[in-house]
Amino acid sequence: MLQGIREARAAGEPVAWATIVGVTGSAYRREGTRMLVRRDGSYTCMLSGGCLEPEIVEVAQQVMRDGQPVRTEYNLDEEVMWGLGIGCGGAVDVYIEPVQDEPVTNRWLEALERGELAVLATPLEPGLGRLFVGEAASAGALADAGLEAQARARAHQVLQALQPRAATHALRASDGRTVPVFFDVSLPPAELVIFGAGHDAVPLSRLAVQLGFRVQVVDMRDKFALPSRFPGAQVRLLRPEHFARALEVGPRTFVLVMNHNLLIDQSTLAFALQTPAPYVGLLGPRSRFLKIAEGLAREGTPLTPEQLRRVRSPVGLAVGAETPEEVALSILAEVMALQRGYPAGFLNGLEGRIHDPTEAPVV
């Protein structure tokens, strides 16, 4: 989409963005999904399985001609006479707007290009402005001071979440009326640090890269820590005593320890537990983790109860994984579930929204 915007601007042609800003019931995609439409009717990305797009293109072309945004609801229930007959049983609220060449929009596009953590607050009523809020600075303003204060507070709450989600929130303007404001989110890629470059780390790294993770593979063995073995990942040749100085592990970095060496895993785990990583996984049976904990206690650095709870051991979901590829799938499924706040239960029989972690079943 970003490339499409660059090309359209270079050619002096308009483009429009169609964004899902609300979902009722079941739908193909969730809030924050975008689709870019060009003047000739071609488009990049999709909001559905292909049924919504022709109608959205038609509306977007009108938006490009008029220069005014349009908010419209598409009913996906096949039983509704004038619905689209998709059969999902829900509805999507779509906001279609021209992509303007102005400071706030350009700052948002820059954040998306760079993979910055940021929020774009857009009131879904015309004439109220737009607000960009990043970790270090903001841009733009809303026409109503009370609305802007609430939008800023909400945006900062979103920035603090481990996996922020785009959503529309009802805020109250200074005159007392309720205004829907859509909070879109720009997220940097999730980071995964794999300690250990053994053979089983290869499919794990490969799958993580395919899922969009920014992957680092760390090992002290030069015969294993080879970039050619881990396409798309950054490979670091480091000893444990150099981790603290050379590695940056933040609150959005997921850590997996799989050196297949008890002493190296012990040193690595001690380092990982000093970081704010939200996920620290240790490959191997629970008995192995207990041996490592005993070793740290003998060295005079016993793990605290909180640190013991932080370590995921055994690592992964119980799906009967045996091969390295299956183990990789099990591990990354657990990482994704924790990252997004889901209990990782079966979906079978669930009648609520499958994308609502509060409704997902626990098994």
Side-chain angles (χ1 to χ4, degrees):
M1 286 192 294
L2 295 171
Q3 178 63 23
I5 293 171
R6 286 192 295 268
E7 292 172 353
R9 286 183 171 181
E13 296 183 353
V15 284
W17 245 341
T19 308
I20 296 179
V21 296
V23 174
T24 302
S26 298
Y28 189 77
R29 299 296 304 274
R30 313 312 301 167
E31 292 88 343
T33 305
R34 286 188 183 271
M35 168 181 165
L36 183 73
V37 183
R38 302 172 185 83
R39 185 169 59 183
D40 63 3
S42 61
Y43 56 88
T44 300
C45 296
M46 302 172 71
L47 303 186
S48 73
C51 303
L52 287 180
E53 284 65 24
E55 187 167 342
I56 289 175
V57 166
E58 186 176 339
V59 176
Q61 289 175 318
Q62 183 64 44
V63 164
M64 283 183 270
R65 288 192 293 268
D66 297 343
Q68 297 298 318
V70 171
R71 181 184 176 192
T72 184
E73 184 178 75
Y74 294 93
N75 197 316
L76 310 179
D77 192 339
E78 64 185 353
E79 295 181 359
V80 175
M81 182 178 297
W82 300 109
L84 294 170
I86 296 175
C88 294
V92 292
D93 201 7
V94 180
Y95 190 68
I96 305 170
E97 59 182 321
V99 181
Q100 305 282 9
D101 187 358
E102 52 85 28
V104 179
T105 299
N106 291 342
R107 182 63 188 89
W108 174 245
L109 294 174
E110 182 181 327
L112 294 174
E113 289 271 12
R114 296 179 177 179
E116 297 176 11
L117 180 62
V119 173
L120 182 67
T122 303
L124 300 180
E125 290 185 5
L128 291 176
R130 176 171 273 179
L131 180 66
F132 171 91
V133 180
E135 289 186 290
S138 61
L142 300 187
D144 182 283
L147 195 64
E148 179 172 329
Q150 293 176 70
R152 286 186 181 276
R154 176 74 66 170
H156 285 296
Q157 289 178 357
V158 172
L159 291 175
Q160 297 304 313
L162 175 61
Q163 182 72 9
R165 290 183 174 88
T168 296
H169 297 281
L171 305 184
R172 191 168 296 278
S174 300
D175 61 6
R177 79 183 192 281
T178 299
V179 178
V181 179
F182 177 64
F183 292 82
D184 205 353
V185 181
S186 168
L187 278 176
E191 297 181 346
L192 176 67
V193 180
I194 304 171
F195 288 95
H199 297 302
D200 52 354
V202 174
L204 178 64
S205 173
R206 181 173 61 247
L207 182 56
V209 168
Q210 291 174 347
L211 292 174
F213 284 86
R214 181 181 293 153
V215 180
Q216 290 190 69
V217 180
V218 182
D219 204 305
M220 58 186 289
R221 301 167 294 179
D222 55 7
K223 292 183 179 179
F224 288 84
L226 298 172
S228 59
R229 299 181 68 230
F230 300 95
Q234 182 183 14
V235 180
R236 309 289 299 275
L237 188 63
L238 293 171
R239 299 182 63 84
E241 58 266 29
H242 299 148
F243 290 166
R245 184 176 69 252
L247 295 174
E248 183 176 346
V249 177
R252 300 178 189 277
T253 305
F254 298 82
V255 171
L256 185 65
V257 180
M258 48 188 302
N259 291 290
H260 297 288
N261 181 292
L262 205 63
L263 292 178
I264 297 176
D265 276 353
Q266 181 173 307
S267 299
T268 303
L269 194 63
F271 161 76
L273 290 173
Q274 298 301 316
T275 73
Y279 175 95
V280 178
L282 176 66
L283 191 70
R286 185 71 178 180
S287 58
R288 191 170 186 274
F289 168 53
L290 296 178
K291 286 182 182 179
I292 289 175
E294 291 170 0
L296 290 170
R298 285 194 300 270
E299 290 184 353
T301 56
L303 298 181
T304 66
E306 179 185 358
Q307 289 175 324
L308 288 169
R309 287 192 297 268
R310 286 183 63 194
V311 179
R312 309 291 298 190
S313 171
V315 72
L317 298 185
V319 295
E322 295 184 4
T323 68
E325 290 77 11
E326 292 171 349
V327 171
L329 176 64
S330 167
I331 292 171
L332 289 174
E334 179 186 44
V335 169
M336 183 178 295
L338 291 173
Q339 177 191 25
R340 300 182 180 182
Y342 284 77
F346 292 115
L347 292 173
N348 180 46
L350 180 66
E351 295 182 0
R353 292 178 58 177
I354 65 173
H355 290 97
D356 185 350
T358 62
E359 296 188 13
V362 180
V363 295

